[in-house]
Amino acid sequence: TILVKGGTYYEDLVIDRPVIVRAQDSHNPPELVASRGGTGINLTAKGIVIDGMILSGNGQCGLLVQSDNNKITNVSVSGFGQGICLKSAVNNDIVKNTLVNNTVGLVLDHESQANTVYLNYFDNPVDVESQSGDVTWSSRPWEYQYGGRNFAGPLGNYWKKYTGSFTTGNGVGTVPYVVQQNASSPDSKSPGSLTDRAPLASPPDRYTLLGSEERQPVTAPGSAIPKENADF
């Protein structure tokens, strides 16, 4: 594990071995400013974790993933042509990140399959450009707290452009969100490859996760948990 102190770093990184790179203080995350036209962080090895970084710059891509089985979490990316880019990248988790003010928030090529994207904040002119036919846009069902109440169900992403309704009180939209509005459908292996079926009503930090997603509650998606049955 590499712990990075808060501060501003003017450099581009290539990570070519399986390591955990984490902010030493989550309340004072380090900011990596990419060189002009450069990529902030490039992942070329499998099994890397990036946790708690700010990436800024005006290059083509903020964080480039060219490998498998990585986890990108609590990373803020802004100012790039493409915020996070996946190229021939398989089985990566993109979770709890903030992608704002990039020309395109997230880009996946055709060879990037079986990736999972949830609990992210998207606010870009174009949020997603995907040629992949296998992307999951929400978590597996888990227990969470929202608005002072406990619920169970999958959680997707917060899309600033979402205009659906939130009438059930569980913090999840009643209408799925088509994440790639202006693109022809890719050669889809999954019917939901371009659809977030559990879009969030509020930014991800308004949802408190309880327990572990591996528990997979049996209650209906987004349903309230009776108080007498809650064990947290």
Side-chain angles (χ1 to χ4, degrees), residues 6 16 25 29 34 41 61 64 67 76 80 86 88 95-97 109 126 145 159 176 189 210 217:
D16 59 2
D25 180 358
I41 298 178
C61 184
L64 173 59
S67 54
S76 176
F80 292 89
L86 276 67
S88 298
V95 183
K96 297 181 183 177
N97 303 292
D109 70 1
V126 177
Q145 187 176 81
W159 308 93
K189 297 178 182 177
L210 307 170

Side-chain angles (χ1 to χ4, degrees), residues 16 18 21 64 93 98 108 110 127 134 180 221 229:
D16 59 2
V21 180
L64 173 59
D93 291 333
T98 300
L108 302 96
H110 188 271
D127 286 323
D134 187 5
Q180 194 170 355
N229 293 337

Side-chain angles (χ1 to χ4, degrees), residues 10-27:
Y10 294 88
E11 56 186 307
D12 306 334
L13 294 181
V14 176
I15 303 178
D16 59 2
R17 63 194 65 190
V19 294
I20 298 172
V21 180
R22 176 169 288 148
Q24 186 177 61
D25 180 358
S26 61
H27 299 291

Side-chain angles (χ1 to χ4, degrees), residues 24-136:
Q24 186 177 61
D25 180 358
S26 61
H27 299 291
N28 182 29
E31 179 175 1
L32 185 67
V33 181
S35 63
R36 184 173 182 83
T39 295
I41 298 178
N42 184 359
L43 308 185
T44 62
K46 298 179 181 180
I48 299 169
V49 175
I50 304 293
D51 183 7
M53 303 278 287
I54 298 173
L55 303 181
S56 62
N58 57 4
Q60 178 62 25
C61 184
L63 197 155
L64 173 59
V65 183
Q66 295 180 293
S67 54
D68 309 335
N69 303 316
N70 304 297
K71 184 169 185 178
I72 315 300
T73 185
N74 297 310
V75 173
S76 176
V77 188
S78 63
F80 292 89
Q82 301 171 347
I84 296 179
C85 321
L86 276 67
K87 294 185 178 180
S88 298
V90 177
N91 196 36
N92 295 280
D93 291 333
I94 313 296
V95 183
K96 297 181 183 177
N97 303 292
T98 300
L99 301 171
V100 299
N101 298 325
N102 304 284
T103 304
V104 183
L106 176 66
V107 177
L108 302 96
D109 70 1
H110 188 271
E111 288 72 33
S112 294
Q113 303 292 329
N115 295 289
T116 304
V117 181
Y118 61 90
L119 285 173
N120 300 286
Y121 186 118
F122 284 92
D123 184 12
N124 309 273
V126 177
D127 286 323
V128 174
E129 285 185 355
S130 176
Q131 297 177 349
S132 172
D134 187 5
V135 184
T136 301

